[in-house]
Every structure is written in C-alpha cells, then in structure tokens.
Amino acid sequence: MTGPFDEELVKVLPDTVKFICHNGAGYDSIDIGACTERGIRVSSTPRINIHATADATMLLMLGALRRIMIPLQAVRQGVWQGKTQAGHDPTGRVLGILGMGGIGTEVAKRARAFGMHIQYHNRTPLPRSKSGDAKYVSLDELFKTSDVLSLNVPLSPATQHIIAKPQLEMMKDGVVIVNTSRGPIIDEDALVDALESGKVYSAGLDVFEEEPKIHPGLLNNQNVVLLPHVATTTFETRRDMEVLALENLEEALQNNTLKTPVAEQEA
C-alpha cells in the first residue's frame, strides 16, 4: 500500500512512469489532474464491483431496518434476545438512491424484490429504459421524502459532506441511512448527533470518514451496523478486478494504451 497518489507523490515519480493501473472502481485516492499534467495515464476497474456492492448495500439496509446488532450481540453474550426491539419491514418503504449509476441501479433491482418504492437523484434523469419505475426527484425532495437513503455516489469536492447537519434536518424522523460509497460523503459528527437524537433511526455503514479509524459515536451505538470497507470482498469480484487490472497493465506494455481509462482521460 503506497497511500494516496496525491500531487506531491505524482510530482516526484520518475519520467519513465507512463501508466498507473489501479485495482478499484473508485479512484479518489489518485490525483488525476496531476497525473494528466505529467502525461501519466490511469486506469480503474469499473462496473465489476456493482453486484457485490449492491448485495452489501441490501445487507446493511435490512440489518439497519431491524437494528440487527442488538440481537446479534445479545445472543453471543448469552442473554438470548437481550434488549431486542421490533424493527421495520422494507415492504412499502420509500428508498431514495443518491447516485443511480451501476451500483445504484442494482440496489434498485434488489430493493424492488422487497416491495420498496424507488426514487433517485442524479445530475440528470435516466432514460426510462434504465430507471424502470424509479421516480426522479430533486436532491432536496430525495432527502425530505425517503424512508431509507442509499448513498452511491463517487467522492468528489461536490459530494464531500453532501450529508451534513442541514441535510439531516430535512429528512424524515426515523430515516435509515446506508453508505457503501465513500466515508467523507457523510459528516460523521452530524450523523452521530442525529443518531443520538433519534432523528436517524439507524445506519448501515461500510465506509468511514477517516478509515480505518471509526468515530466512537458510531462504534458505541448499537443502532449502527458496521462493516470494515468489505462490500466488494467476495472471491469472484476480487478475482475479476485483479484480472482487469492485469489486462490494463498488459495493454499498456504491449499497445501503449489502456483498456479501461478513467473518465477524465478518455479520448
């Protein structure tokens, strides 16, 4: 693990470096602008992770709706049901998807099977052939009217802390929030306050603002389902990501190009 390929690191790379073949769909750890300025082309492994991530999103969503950590911990502590509370069914609830790309679309498919009503927000509406019966709404309406909110957007200056105190205050009392995208999309201090006040019923999180460090207010709250950034950790997904990364490396060495260049550098 080298750490982030930020401008400082990219500037000191030798002139012989012409390609960076990244094994991951998200590449916010790489300064693409700095790479482009140096003439370094970057690839990622897009779309391969969408099914595993959508599955993990549903796992976290269902767990959060049932506040599953309370009975899970109780049974391991030998106190049977402990302080288990009645949770909520997904059926009939409004799922708001922020970012209806590959992962968001797969989350919608799975959520329909649970009888959820789907609405979404993107920068632009999708054609009906891709969105199906999902309703396009404004960002504010998404926040105000969703029972469950799934975050499926890439991290960028525009999306960092897109969920903060003002947005949380807009939301329904008892909203459930699921994040399998990037941790800094949520202001964790604001989320902890909203969880403690009951504004947010529960949350399912695979990513964190300063991972691997996790906010103590999340660790100590039994209403939060936590995973250590493992949404794509299946044998099949990891294998296919590694193969595509190697195919990009092969393409770079043999043909001086890339199979899946990042969007910012596509010709």
Side-chain angles (χ1 to χ4, degrees):
M1 296 295 290
T2 306
F5 273 68
D6 56 15
E7 184 178 11
E8 182 181 8
L9 186 150
V10 171
K11 280 184 174 179
V12 298
L13 291 174
D15 292 338
T16 51
V17 175
K18 300 299 181 184
F19 298 93
I20 296 174
C21 298
H22 175 59
N23 182 19
Y27 47 89
D28 49 275
S29 60
I30 303 173
D31 189 326
I32 302 300
C35 289
T36 302
E37 190 174 330
R38 287 286 313 273
I40 298 171
R41 285 172 281 177
V42 182
S43 66
S44 63
T45 56
R47 298 197 62 81
I48 290 173
N49 68 330
I50 61 176
H51 295 290
T53 305
D55 291 344
T57 299
M58 295 305 299
L59 182 154
L60 289 167
M61 185 188 305
L62 296 171
L65 281 165
R66 297 292 290 268
R67 286 183 168 174
I68 198 66
M69 294 308 301
I70 298 173
L72 280 177
Q73 291 175 0
V75 76
R76 288 186 179 278
Q77 292 164 1
V79 291
W80 194 228
Q81 295 183 359
K83 296 181 179 180
T84 298
Q85 307 164 9
H88 292 291
D89 295 326
T91 305
R93 295 195 169 268
V94 177
L95 170 62
I97 298 176
L98 180 55
M100 191 81 150
I103 295 169
T105 300
E106 290 299 321
V107 170
K109 288 180 183 177
R110 288 156 175 76
R112 288 186 185 99
F114 286 91
M116 302 185 82
H117 305 297
I118 315 299
Q119 60 183 15
Y120 74 99
H121 179 78
N122 275 354
R123 285 174 292 184
T124 56
L126 295 175
R128 181 64 66 179
S129 60
K130 291 187 177 180
S131 65
D133 61 356
K135 178 186 176 184
Y136 178 81
V137 296
S138 69
L139 186 58
D140 283 357
E141 186 175 353
L142 190 82
F143 293 148
K144 290 176 181 178
T145 61
S146 297
D147 298 311
V148 180
L149 184 65
S150 178
L151 306 178
N152 303 107
V153 290
L155 179 62
S156 70
T159 61
Q160 184 167 0
H161 283 190
I162 198 169
I163 305 297
K165 184 177 179 180
Q167 291 74 35
L168 289 162
E169 289 176 344
M170 286 185 200
M171 296 180 192
K172 286 184 175 182
D173 292 342
V175 67
V176 171
I177 297 175
V178 180
N179 187 11
T180 54
S181 53
R182 287 293 186 266
I185 286 170
I186 300 179
D187 179 339
E188 286 184 355
D189 286 333
L191 176 60
V192 167
D193 289 344
L195 284 159
E196 291 177 351
S197 72
K199 178 70 177 182
V200 174
Y201 176 78
S202 57
L205 307 173
D206 181 54
V207 289
F208 304 92
E209 197 166 1
E210 297 179 11
E211 58 185 58
K213 177 183 174 183
I214 300 177
H215 195 299
L218 299 174
L219 282 172
N220 298 326
N221 192 318
Q222 285 190 307
N223 297 332
V224 184
V225 184
L226 305 171
L227 292 176
H229 204 150
V230 293
T232 63
T233 307
T234 69
F235 174 84
E236 295 82 4
T237 296
R238 288 296 177 90
R239 176 199 60 205
D240 292 347
M241 290 170 65
E242 289 168 3
V243 167
L244 181 53
L246 289 171
E247 288 175 349
N248 273 294
L249 180 60
E250 183 179 48
E251 191 74 10
L253 293 172
Q254 293 185 356
N255 300 313
N256 198 39
T257 187
L258 291 168
K259 185 173 182 178
T260 53
V262 297
E264 295 88 338
Q265 293 183 341
E266 285 186 309

